[in-house]
Amino acid sequence: MRYELYYWPTIQGRGEFVRLALEEAGADYVDVARRGARGMAALNRLLESGKTRSFAPPFLKTGNQIIGQTANILLYLGPRLGLAPKSESSRLWAHQLQLTISDLVDEVHDVHHPIASSLYYHQQNPDAARRAPHFTRDRLTKYLNYFESILAANSRGSRYVLGRNPSYLDLSLFQVMAGLRYAFPRTMKKRAADYPALTALAERVSGRPNIASYLASSRRVPFSEYGIFRHYPELDR
Amino acid sequence: MRYELYYWPTIQGRGEFVRLALEEAGADYVDVARRGARGMAALNRLLESGKTRSFAPPFLKTGNQIIGQTANILLYLGPRLGLAPKSESSRLWAHQLQLTISDLVDEVHDVHHPIASSLYYHQQNPDAARRAPHFTRDRLTKYLNYFESILAANSRGSRYVLGRNPSYLDLSLFQVMAGLRYAFPRTMKKRAADYPALTALAERVSGRPNIASYLASSRRVPFSEYGIFRHYPELDR
């Protein structure tokens, strides 16, 4: 089964959560829009037509089916890639946590774009500077405390969030930690000691053979000030 | 099967999407926190402890299982309440659209709270006034055009988004239209002609017997300036 992933070619963004799952599983996939202008044209075509077109990338094409929304793509891929738990209740729980990660990602984006995603950062940086401390002090702390406590409560004695085997959720938490460290290095360094379980999990994921080789490859788009996790020192005080 | 819904008792908010599904199906449920101080204490207790606690309300308790994240709750309830399509691919598609509604709801919230949800509106209304026109002009239009075109493409000849029978998605689109009309009456009135399918759908849902009787009851919390859909005339120019 060959998967076609459609996402913006120059950023990690929301597509990265899907890329990591496909890479960990060694799945047969194509990152379509990274294949040049024809790939981008294909992305735009699927975005603009069809009964089940998506509101925005990422979306995944498999056979005739197109699936959009990051967490929904992982809900679909998880069992097929061996990256989801078996029971329905555990799958809902994993999906719930993935949706909470989506919420955090939205808030991270809006730190640098509080007014409009259609404006540049420099057109809204006074607002961003007002939003940032609320994020780093209150919201980020609330999210990380939540995931740290969930991790501690669920993985007792296990290596991954849901038990002995890694799931897409572990990959997503790795990505969140990597992104936060890129965007808010000062804040994250100061708080590292508060999140031993998340820190250890991120380390463990980055050391998995397929992930390590992906991260070292040119398939991993670098973090930058075009993506969701952006480093602006003035927002990381 | 008795369901316990946990959500803030004084607003419609995200919980309303779940309430509508339970009401349409005539399900046996308790809106726990609306039962006074003991209900609120129970909500806070479940929010603060347990291996599968939620990051935020709403969450649903059924037997020993607790399920959080609005769209995830509907993913679980849909088939059980007869409000979801049968095939896996249709269920993923419905869930994808529900997640896109969640994204719209987040953006609606951030129109009046662009800086921090912990601040009052009056502490961020200059920023809100800057964000609002980007929302009403660009984002709202993009979302409504999307749902209108999906509706037109999918329900051809049918009465509901996914065919002859209503799903939780129809109820959610009704709620979105009701909320947008409350929050942005001027904008929505001016654009009404652009969204005939959404308008007809909302009308059809509000006339369904269980929904009509729910909307007329005291179980329906009124819209207000404490919820997600808030009417501030200065944001609806």
Side-chain angles (χ1 to χ4, degrees), chain A residues 131-197:
Chain A
R131 181 167 173 134
H134 293 283
F135 176 75
T136 50
R137 196 183 52 215
D138 302 338
R139 300 298 292 172
L140 180 64
T141 307
K142 189 176 173 190
Y143 277 107
L144 291 182
N145 285 351
Y146 175 74
F147 287 118
E148 180 72 17
S149 77
I150 292 296
L151 201 48
N154 283 265
S155 69
R156 241 174 316 178
S158 301
R159 294 165 55 81
Y160 296 103
V161 186
L162 303 172
R164 265 185 316 148
N165 300 314
S167 68
Y168 62 77
L169 205 51
D170 300 289
L171 310 176
S172 295
L173 285 172
F174 154 76
Q175 176 64 11
V176 163
M177 290 298 281
L180 290 172
R181 282 180 188 141
Y182 174 81
F184 305 100
R186 205 168 155 277
T187 302
M188 291 300 283
K189 197 172 170 190
K190 216 164 53 188
R191 311 256 187 93
D194 298 339
Y195 309 113

Side-chain angles (χ1 to χ4, degrees), chain A residues 51 53-54 65 68-69 72 80 88-89 92 95-96 100 103 114-115 123 127 130-131 146 149 154, chain B residues 51 53-54 68-69 72 80 88-89 92 95-96 100 103 114-115 123 127 130-131 146 149 154:
Chain A
K51 274 180 68 172
R53 70 188 177 91
S54 294
Q65 195 175 358
Q69 285 280 358
N72 195 43
R80 289 163 174 88
E88 192 210 1
S89 62
L92 284 166
H95 187 54
Q96 173 179 338
T100 305
D103 288 343
I115 300 302
Q123 295 174 294
D127 312 83
R130 286 192 65 208
R131 181 167 173 134
Y146 175 74
S149 77
N154 283 265
Chain B
K51 275 180 70 173
R53 69 188 178 91
S54 295
Q69 284 281 358
N72 194 43
R80 288 164 174 86
E88 192 210 3
S89 62
L92 284 166
H95 187 54
Q96 173 179 336
T100 305
D103 288 344
I115 300 302
Q123 295 174 294
D127 312 84
R130 287 191 64 207
R131 182 168 174 135
Y146 175 74
S149 78
N154 283 264

